[in-house]
Amino acid sequence: MASLMVMVFVIVSLFIPAVRPSQDLWKLECLPTVGIVSETTVITCSFKGFKKMEIVAVSLTKTTQEKPVFTMDPDSISGDQRISLENSELGPSLKISDTMFSDEGEYLYNVITDRGAKMAQLSISVTAKYKNPITSTWPEAVKGGGHATLYCNATDGYPAGFIHWFDRSGTNWTINSNTTKATKDSNGLKSVALSSRLTFKTIDAGLAPFRCIVLNSRYAQDGESTISITSQSYDDSNKESLASNTTHIVAGVMVIGSLIVGLLFALLIFRKRNGQHGRRPSAHPMLSYESGNSSEDTLETGNYSPKE
Ligand SMILES: *[C@@H]1O[C@H](CO)[C@@H](O)[C@H](O)[C@H]1NC(C)=O
Ligand SMILES: *[C@@H]1O[C@H](CO)[C@@H](O)[C@H](O)[C@H]1NC(C)=O
Ligand SMILES: *[C@@H]1O[C@H](CO)[C@@H](O)[C@H](O)[C@H]1NC(C)=O
């Protein structure tokens, strides 16, 4: 099929210039293409000069290979089945479904129309989107005023991207951060793991929440995550409750102590009073009896006083 295609191309390109001198009045142009792995990539191509032309045949060949990766002529379509003309009615744009890293490279695109044949060079690069970043901190619970390291990791993107840091007011902290990039290439699946670290000797909790933004190699945002800072760490709240426990214990001891002291005083006074009223030991029981039956007393007093 490929050889037939080449034959058709050769014949048409030899023959058509003689028939149609308008050949040089049009151009085939393709835009550089950036595809996303496992998604559909459109290679935008267009005719410049004539709006209406009928596509007779096309072939797409990688500059590093002899055989076309895709051909289409009036009789057949051959090559990589993921590749097709996006819409031959509208123009020469191509489409690659389920884009792979192996699609990256430079290509020659031949197009034969009812007005002649043209060739254009095009390039395809393939990227992968970073997964949403995973954040962590050291220590796990950051305390305002203490030391802190904030981490933001994004994986499975390609090519190497960037991680930028901002605080709640939008101040850019990126300059204080460090991003490491680890590239992996296994079975044609390329990926980069980004790990960014933002370290504070003393962190101001008022700057939280922090945001880390993951950008792809072309500075387009792929994802973001926020890190909030608990104003107190677990350890410190433990210490604090221990401290407040101690305070409670001290306070308790003081209260009990003063109670004991008070009781001792009361006992002392009671003893003194007992000593003072030593000659009338019955005074106290009488008093308590009187206070317990004060109304009766009054009645009795009322009853008795006239008699006495
Ligand atoms: C992020 O990456 C760093 C360095 O590779 C690692 O020490 C840290 O544990 C990672 N954090 C998370 C949440 O994966
Ligand atoms: C933040 O700072 C980084 C590094 O200095 C810079 O590359 C980036 O453009 C800045 N971003 C914004 C939004 O100012
Ligand atoms: C980034 O890491 C390098 C090497 O580990 C170190 O020399 C540099 O000071 C770090 N920069 C910041 C801003 O932490």
Side-chain angles (χ1 to χ4, degrees), residues 110-276:
N110 288 304
V111 178
I112 300 163
T113 72
D114 57 349
R115 285 181 183 273
K118 289 283 182 197
M119 181 159 69
Q121 224 174 333
L122 63 91
S123 70
I124 300 173
S125 56
V126 177
T127 64
K129 202 172 181 288
Y130 282 93
K131 282 192 186 157
N132 268 339
I134 295 167
T135 57
S136 59
T137 62
W138 184 261
E140 236 172 84
V142 173
K143 192 197 173 198
H147 165 90
T149 303
L150 313 182
Y151 290 97
C152 184
N153 296 358
T155 57
D156 298 311
Y158 188 84
F162 310 89
I163 294 180
H164 288 173
W165 291 90
F166 301 90
D167 65 19
R168 75 181 286 159
S169 67
T171 302
N172 192 345
W173 285 87
T174 311
I175 200 106
N176 299 61
S177 72
N178 239 345
T179 302
T180 59
K181 303 170 183 192
T183 308
K184 225 170 48 178
D185 187 346
S186 58
N187 301 322
L189 243 154
K190 300 188 219 176
S191 70
V192 179
L194 303 173
S195 177
S196 188
R197 196 179 72 216
L198 179 62
T199 304
F200 292 89
K201 282 206 181 78
T202 54
I203 194 163
D204 177 358
L207 298 175
F210 286 87
R211 276 191 315 142
C212 69
I213 311 259
V214 179
L215 305 166
N216 67 21
S217 59
R218 286 167 296 131
Y219 290 96
Q221 183 171 331
D222 263 1
E224 76 166 273
S225 188
T226 56
I227 301 180
S228 45
I229 287 171
T230 43
S231 54
Q232 276 176 352
S233 78
Y234 182 73
D235 273 359
D236 281 308
S237 60
N238 254 8
K239 269 183 216 153
E240 195 131 297
S241 69
L242 208 78
S244 71
N245 270 356
T246 315
T247 320
H248 284 164
I249 290 164
V250 170
V253 166
M254 279 172 73
V255 167
I256 292 165
S258 47
L259 272 176
I260 291 168
V261 169
L263 273 171
L264 285 174
F265 254 104
L267 211 70
L268 210 71
I269 288 163
F270 179 61
R271 282 250 178 100
K272 266 194 179 163
R273 277 178 68 169
N274 270 1
Q276 271 171 10

